[in-house]
Amino acid sequence: MATPQDHRPPLDVPAAAAYTGLSERFIRRLVFERRIPFLKVAGTKVRFMPADLDTWLAAQRVEAIR
């Protein structure tokens, strides 16, 4: 069963930066290095699915040692 979160529209670079708390420049760098999941729309526009960003952010988590 689909959840409402599955139907959130894709985000552009400024919106993805605001969503993740990162700078637009760093988001673009991650795209260039292919270190973050993204969509390529019309061959040139970069978009991000919020669910993909949620998963990516969770994978970046570093647990405390103590």
Side-chain angles (χ1 to χ4, degrees):
M1 177 185 244
T3 64
Q5 292 180 357
D6 296 336
H7 300 292
R8 294 180 288 178
L11 305 172
D12 59 4
V13 172
Y19 187 82
T20 59
L22 302 170
S23 70
E24 290 182 35
R25 183 175 177 174
F26 191 61
I27 291 288
R28 291 182 192 283
R29 179 176 164 193
L30 292 173
V31 168
F32 177 77
E33 295 173 355
R34 296 185 178 264
R35 293 174 45 203
I36 192 170
F38 64 94
L39 303 170
K40 202 112 188 235
V41 181
T44 58
K45 296 183 185 339
V46 175
R47 297 292 184 262
F48 305 88
M49 296 304 296
D52 291 342
L53 292 177
D54 292 338
T55 303
W56 180 80
L57 285 170
Q60 304 308 306
R61 181 183 172 104
V62 177
E63 295 294 332
I65 295 174
R66 298 180 200 201

